[in-house]
Amino acid sequence: MKIKAKLFLGIGLLFAMIVLLTAVGSIYINKLSADTNNILVANYNSIDYSRQMLIALNEDGFTTTSIAAFENNLKKQQQNITETGEQQLTDQLAANFNKLKNNPSDTALLTTVHDAVTDIILVNMQAIERKSAVAKRTADNASLWIALAGTLCFLIAFVLLVNLPGNIANPVKELTESIKEIAAQNYGKRVHFEKHDEFGELAGAFNTMAQKLEEYQTSNLEKLVMEKKRIETLINNIKDPVIGLDAKKHILFMNEVALNISGLRAEETIGKLVQDVAVKNDLVRSLIQDMFRPANETVTAKQEPIKIYADNKESYFEKQVIAINITPTGEQQEKFIGNVILLQNITPFKELDFAKTNFIATVSHELKTPIASIKMSLQLLENEQVGNVNEEQKNLLYSIKDDANRLLKITGELLNMTQVESGNIQMAVMATDIKDIVNYAVSANKAAAEEKKIKLHISPVEDLPSVLADEEKTAWVLTNLISNAIRYSYENSTVYISIKNTGNKIEFAVTDTGQGIAPQYKEKIFDRYFRVPGTKKEGTGLGLSISKEFIEAEGGSITVASDFGAGSTFTITLNAAVT
Ligand code: ADP
């Protein structure tokens, strides 16, 4: 039976019983009240009238008052005839009393009247007794029926009290427990109400839902496992090493290439803390060192490729550490879930780069000798040691000399660049006389300055301490800076060369009043092969980048300050030699 029907039946029955009980109670109460009223009106009054009549009869002599009292009560009695035989007795009494009234001394008649009144009293007394018995029976019946209805009400209420709360609360409780289990992703949970009521239907619906969720989970799980396998295969097939870490830096995966180049086995790595693995493995250590730097410590130095012996040769890898952030479903904030370390194998590019550097080095080296011999021959021709040259030929010789010088500069720069690129800069950093460096650079640029009528203003260098530098490389850099200042200045201007001692540092500054450098190019001019767009003067774009490498290799720095349109100042800062 349905809960609704049960409730309807139980409460309805209880309601009906209460109505019945009230009806039975009121019927019997009415009946009892009618009975008592009947006794009171019908019999008690008759007895009372009779008693008043007897009192009137017993008074001495037959006075008009006693007659009037008798007749008054007789009249009332005549109107209150309720019992069988009472009418006859009352009529006889009235007749005899009339006779007595005419013959008051007739004692026999008085006795007859007296007896008639007593008979009326007797008839009514008997009626009262009979009616009392009936009222008692009515009361007994009422008690019985009320008790029966009460008991039935009690039984129904008791049955409802015992069964109904449990009937409703128990399935709700079981259902609540099951819903909690489902919420905890225990989709195997089922409810077992074998009832055919609403709870039975609810249980059926719940079990269907749980089953569907279970199926969904299983199918999803399968899908996820498939996807995981697919991604694992994909990662394993990537030719470059890949390492995945979770947010707490446990290794989640390392593809085969990563395992190969690190010489590790999967069981030594997967699930382990990366810093524990790094303790025993140099490669892993170098891969993660940036991840464990304090947040405020920033790395400005350019990341050098990592050199690893792989594929039976020296290989080069470029490292990329990618932080993985996701926004969980229903949340606003991004959450960090780990890192992926990618190593890109750049060996083929490196090999090409080596080949290019070697080629440039060889060509530049091979060019140096013929250029030197051209210069020597030019000198012989200039000095007219091999014969006279006319003006026109002299001009041609000048331009050949100019080109030979430029060629020599270019080959020199290219050679220096190959040194820088191959990492073979041979530095002899020692206490060096600043005067020697400055004199070399100034005399190397003298002819070019004269040609453009540019004055070279050199600050006094006499009282300066020695500088910690490689004389040849520093002189080359200063020469290059002065050469640039002359080349990018206007004719008849001045180039200032000033050397400042700032305590433990020596600053070489070359200032020109030329075209200056636009702010957006100030950093870029130190990049290899970079030339400010629109630069008319011939050049390779290598001078400043080589200068930077040389100066940094000496433990110094090179900077530029420029007022676009008004000139530039290039400053070399090197350590002063401690004396
Ligand atoms: P190059 O002079 O051979 O082109 P550099 O590396 O010496 O190569 O210089 C790079 C670029 O920087 C130049 O092409 C030029 O545009 C700019 N530059 C260098 N020095 C100056 C300077 N003193 N004034 C203005 N521009 C300059």
Side-chain angles (χ1 to χ4, degrees):
M1 199 192 280
K2 304 231 165 178
I3 299 276
K4 194 176 169 189
K6 267 188 200 168
L7 279 172
F8 200 69
L9 199 74
I11 295 169
L13 216 59
L14 214 57
F15 181 74
M17 288 315 296
I18 291 167
V19 171
L20 187 73
L21 203 62
T22 318
V24 169
S26 57
I27 287 169
Y28 277 107
I29 286 167
N30 276 343
K31 216 168 168 193
L32 277 173
S33 146
D35 283 353
T36 17
N37 202 35
N38 198 14
I39 292 171
L40 196 75
V41 175
N43 305 111
Y44 176 78
N45 285 353
S46 291
I47 292 170
D48 192 42
Y49 305 147
S50 305
R51 192 177 59 86
Q52 297 293 338
M53 283 190 278
L54 283 180
I55 292 168
L57 280 182
N58 288 341
E59 271 181 20
D60 285 342
F62 232 21
T63 62
T64 37
T65 353
S66 61
I67 290 169
F70 192 95
E71 280 181 333
N72 182 32
N73 282 294
L74 180 62
K75 208 170 161 193
K76 285 183 186 167
Q77 170 56 27
Q78 280 171 325
Q79 283 160 9
N80 192 32
I81 306 295
T82 51
E83 304 306 321
T84 31
E86 198 177 0
Q87 181 70 54
Q88 203 185 347
L89 284 172
T90 311
D91 290 348
Q92 276 174 13
L93 175 65
N96 288 331
F97 182 71
N98 277 338
K99 281 182 202 164
L100 186 64
K101 245 189 343 186
N102 298 329
N103 195 5
S105 55
D106 190 342
T107 48
L109 201 57
L110 182 68
T111 312
T112 312
V113 170
H114 207 281
D115 286 350
V117 175
T118 318
D119 282 347
I120 290 170
I121 290 175
L122 210 66
V123 165
N124 278 290
M125 288 287 282
Q126 280 167 350
I128 286 176
E129 257 175 49
R130 204 180 60 248
K131 285 179 185 172
S132 289
V134 171
K136 191 176 176 295
R137 263 203 318 280
T138 309
D140 286 349
N141 276 346
S143 304
L144 183 71
W145 283 112
I146 288 170
L148 274 176
T151 313
L152 207 60
C153 276
F154 172 78
L155 284 176
I156 293 169
F158 186 75
V159 169
L160 284 179
L161 190 75
V162 168
N163 288 320
L164 210 57
N167 252 335
I168 295 171
N170 291 346
V172 170
K173 196 174 163 202
E174 195 179 330
L175 206 65
T176 310
E177 294 296 319
S178 306
I179 288 169
K180 279 185 189 163
E181 291 282 330
I182 295 280
Q185 295 181 353
N186 182 6
Y187 299 123
K189 186 74 191 170
R190 298 284 182 276
V191 282
H192 306 285
F193 319 137
E194 302 297 329
K195 299 178 177 180
H196 300 289
D197 55 13
E198 287 91 335
F199 283 119
E201 282 172 27
L202 191 62
F206 178 88
N207 288 343
T208 313
M209 179 196 76
Q211 193 184 348
K212 287 203 169 155
L213 279 174
E214 199 174 15
E215 279 169 18
Y216 178 71
Q217 191 200 27
T218 328
S219 67
N220 250 7
L221 213 68
E222 262 172 35
K223 227 164 150 189
L224 281 176
V225 170
M226 263 309 287
E227 287 306 318
K228 188 173 176 266
K229 283 228 164 78
R230 202 197 305 272
I231 289 167
E232 273 172 3
T233 317
L234 197 93
I235 291 170
N236 266 337
N237 279 306
I238 292 175
K239 294 278 172 284
D240 289 332
V242 185
I243 302 171
L245 305 178
D246 69 9
K248 290 188 174 150
K249 309 267 183 287
H250 291 102
I251 299 177
L252 292 175
F253 57 83
M254 260 177 106
N255 69 354
E256 272 160 31
V257 194
L259 289 171
N260 274 345
I261 62 162
S262 62
L264 289 163
R265 279 173 293 128
E267 53 273 26
E268 293 174 306
T269 54
I270 311 300
K272 303 268 166 29
L273 269 175
V274 74
Q275 50 271 47
D276 293 347
V277 177
V279 172
K280 293 180 229 140
N281 192 285
D282 293 342
L283 174 63
V284 177
R285 193 161 48 245
S286 71
L287 291 182
I288 63 163
Q289 60 196 9
D290 297 342
M291 288 163 53
F292 289 90
R293 276 185 221 281
N296 52 5
E297 196 180 305
T298 47
V299 195
T300 45
K302 207 172 113 222
Q303 288 247 342
E304 282 301 317
I306 300 170
K307 207 186 324 179
I308 303 164
Y309 193 79
D311 298 336
N312 297 322
K313 62 179 180 196
E314 264 188 356
S315 302
Y316 293 85
F317 292 88
E318 223 162 55
K319 180 181 76 172
Q320 222 184 329
V321 180
I322 303 164
I324 311 290
N325 294 302
I326 58 154
T327 313
T329 320
E331 287 181 27
Q332 305 276 314
Q333 212 72 27
E334 267 202 348
K335 198 174 152 197
F336 170 73
I337 58 158
N339 293 98
V340 170
I341 305 172
L342 293 176
L343 287 177
Q344 194 188 359
N345 193 343
I346 54 161
T347 318
F349 305 109
K350 269 277 171 192
E351 283 169 352
L352 280 175
D353 201 41
F354 279 146
K356 175 213 75 183
T357 309
N358 277 340
F359 175 75
I360 293 174
T362 315
V363 171
S364 319
H365 195 262
E366 292 302 321
L367 280 176
K368 258 187 139 181
T369 325
I371 295 168
S373 91
I374 289 171
K375 277 190 79 175
M376 220 148 71
S377 309
L378 277 172
Q379 212 159 6
L380 290 175
L381 286 169
E382 255 181 8
N383 295 345
E384 299 191 347
Q385 285 167 337
V386 283
N388 293 337
V389 280
N390 61 28
E391 263 323 290
E392 218 168 313
Q393 287 166 332
K394 252 186 202 165
N395 285 342
L396 281 173
L397 286 178
Y398 273 134
S399 89
I400 295 172
K401 191 181 162 196
D402 211 33
D403 286 341
N405 280 339
R406 199 166 325 128
L407 262 178
L408 203 64
K409 185 174 179 268
I410 292 171
T411 45
E413 277 179 357
L414 286 175
L415 260 180
N416 280 335
M417 187 209 64
T418 58
Q419 267 188 31
V420 167
E421 283 195 345
S422 60
N424 287 337
I425 317 174
Q426 302 292 329
M427 285 287 169
V429 180
M430 56 180 78
T432 309
D433 200 339
I434 291 172
K435 215 175 347 142
D436 294 344
I437 296 172
V438 175
N439 286 345
Y440 175 87
V442 169
S443 60
N445 282 293
K446 217 170 188 146
E450 274 168 10
E451 206 173 300
K452 275 182 91 176
K453 299 188 188 65
I454 288 174
K455 223 176 122 202
L456 295 180
H457 181 276
I458 304 137
S459 70
V461 289
E462 276 70 35
D463 299 331
L464 292 168
S466 301
V467 63
L468 260 188
D470 176 310
E471 187 182 331
E472 193 196 322
K473 301 278 190 299
T474 315
W476 187 93
V477 174
L478 193 63
T479 308
N480 187 57
L481 292 185
I482 299 171
S483 158
N484 277 354
I486 295 168
R487 281 163 62 222
Y488 300 111
S489 286
Y490 306 108
E491 287 194 356
N492 297 313
S493 58
T494 310
V495 168
Y496 300 88
I497 300 135
S498 64
I499 294 94
K500 206 158 81 183
N501 177 10
T502 60
N504 53 354
K505 302 273 179 200
I506 303 290
E507 284 179 6
F508 297 78
V510 179
T511 304
D512 65 66
T513 52
Q515 62 202 53
I517 299 154
Q520 67 267 35
Y521 302 124
K522 264 171 41 185
E523 289 304 313
K524 295 201 107 190
I525 54 170
F526 294 102
D527 290 350
R528 228 167 275 174
Y529 303 109
F530 181 84
R531 309 195 71 221
V532 172
T535 304
K536 296 266 171 2
K537 296 274 177 288
E538 284 169 3
T540 57
L542 283 171
L544 287 178
S545 81
I546 296 167
S547 300
K548 191 167 184 299
E549 298 274 359
F550 278 176
I551 297 298
E552 283 177 358
E554 290 173 88
S557 64
I558 181 164
T559 54
V560 61
S562 184
D563 196 356
F564 189 41
S568 322
T569 299
F570 284 85
T571 309
I572 304 167
T573 308
L574 286 166
N575 291 321
V578 190
T579 45

